[in-house]
């Protein structure tokens, strides 16, 4: 059933489902933030050294991408438990990745990007980036929920564009980009992520009506929806922090 034909404003089931997705997203953001602070602040020096000062960090940096690829091939009939474990695992791993920013803010140190740009981050910049991300995310998700426009065509293009940009980013490890190319890649991912927030919201709304009454499918959709939202939120947040912290 096409969600655009439904009176979603009075559909209690849909509201409950979407609130479940947003609540899981909020819990994921809170958990990743807590992990980032504990690891990056050095409250437990041994843990900080282990996760950030050894090659183990690369497992957390590239692990989420590997898990997403792996789940696409291995989860032919995903269960609520499996998708839930996947969600919390990726949230935790990205929380460790965020701890680098906390460490930089705590130490007041500057870093130089591969493109040669200097960045200095502090907690004020992190707060600004978070508020901007939350505001943009909320507005884009509301648009995706309310619009009668079919976002699928542009959403599919955005998905392919995102993977293309990811491919270019991976190539940058072999061929360091210029400072301008870094900014172009970041702005591209920021824009694509924004489109995907609206697209994924509409997909969740339409998926609810397809699976209405099937609690198992809705539980799986809740986990997938929260995961997609979390990745988009993470991308937008880290890119805004990077852009705002450039000297």
């Amino acid at each position: 059933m096409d969600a655009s034909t439904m009176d979603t404003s009075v559909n209690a089931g849909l509201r409950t489902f979407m609130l479940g997705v947003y609540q899981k997203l909020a819990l994921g953001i809170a958990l990743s933030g807590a992990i980032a602070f504990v690891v990056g602040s050095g409250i437990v020096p041994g843990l900080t050294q282990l996760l950030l000062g050894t090659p183990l960090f690369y497992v957390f940096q590239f692990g989420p991408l590997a898990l997403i690829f792996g789940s696409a091939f291995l989860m032919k009939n995903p269960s609520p438990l499996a998708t839930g474990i996947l969600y919390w695992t990726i949230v935790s791993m990205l929380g460790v990745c965020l701890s680098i920013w906390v460490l930089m803010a705590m130490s007041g140190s500057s870093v130089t990007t591969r493109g040669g740009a200097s960045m200095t981050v502090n907690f004020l910049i992190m707060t600004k980036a978070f508020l901007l991300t939350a505001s943009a995310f909320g507005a884009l998700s509301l648009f995706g929920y309310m619009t009668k426009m079919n976002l699928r065509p542009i959403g599919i293009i955005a998905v392919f564009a995102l993977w293309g940009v990811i491919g270019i980013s991976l190539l940058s490890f072999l061929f360091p980009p210029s400072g301008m190319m870094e900014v172009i890649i970041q702005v591209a991912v920021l824009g694509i992520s924004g489109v995907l927030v609206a697209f994924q919201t509409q997909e969740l709304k339409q998926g609810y009506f397809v699976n209405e009454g099937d609690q198992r499918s809705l539980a799986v959709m809740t986990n997938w929806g929260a995961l997609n939202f979390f990745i988009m939120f993470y991308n937008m947040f880290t890119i805004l922090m990077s852009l705002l912290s450039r000297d």
Side-chain angles (χ1 to χ4, degrees), residues 98 126 129-130 133 232-241:
L98 285 174
M126 294 176 70
F130 182 84
T133 302
M232 296 304 107
F233 194 99
Y234 175 89
N235 286 340
M236 295 168 69
F237 176 53
T238 53
I239 288 172
L240 284 171
M241 276 200 298

Side-chain angles (χ1 to χ4, degrees), residues 13-200:
L14 175 62
R15 289 203 306 272
T16 300
F17 168 70
M18 293 301 297
L19 283 175
V21 176
Y22 293 130
Q23 286 171 358
K24 180 154 282 192
L25 169 64
L27 288 173
I29 292 172
L31 175 62
S32 64
I35 292 173
F37 182 78
V38 169
V39 175
S41 64
I43 294 176
V44 185
L47 182 64
T48 301
Q49 176 60 30
L50 175 65
L51 298 183
L52 302 185
T54 69
L56 184 60
F57 177 73
Y58 294 106
V59 174
F60 294 94
Q61 187 174 23
F62 297 106
L65 191 59
L67 287 174
I68 291 170
F69 270 121
S71 65
F73 291 100
L74 298 177
M75 289 189 181
K76 300 302 181 183
N77 185 27
S79 67
L81 177 61
T83 52
I85 291 173
L86 178 68
Y87 174 70
W88 293 114
T89 300
I90 291 178
V91 163
S92 300
M93 297 178 84
L94 291 179
V96 174
C97 294
L98 285 174
S99 65
I100 289 290
W101 295 91
V102 176
L103 180 62
M104 290 170 54
M106 293 289 291
S107 63
S109 60
S110 298
V111 297
T112 302
T113 67
R114 292 173 60 83
S118 177
M119 294 195 311
T120 304
V121 68
N122 54 50
F123 288 110
L124 178 59
I125 289 176
M126 294 176 70
T127 301
K128 288 180 179 178
F130 182 84
L131 293 176
L132 285 172
T133 302
S135 300
F137 182 95
L140 289 164
S141 190
L142 180 62
F143 171 77
Y145 184 86
M146 298 299 294
T147 185
K148 302 300 182 182
M149 181 191 310
N150 181 11
L151 300 178
R152 175 170 283 272
I154 190 173
I156 292 175
I157 293 173
V159 170
F160 281 106
L162 180 61
W163 284 112
V165 174
I166 290 173
I168 294 173
S169 299
L170 292 175
L171 285 176
S172 70
F173 285 95
L174 299 176
F175 308 100
S178 65
M180 179 60 68
M181 180 57 68
E182 273 188 336
V183 173
I184 291 174
I185 291 174
Q186 289 176 327
V187 171
V189 174
L190 188 63
I192 293 169
S193 296
V195 172
L196 289 176
V197 169
F199 168 62
Q200 293 292 342

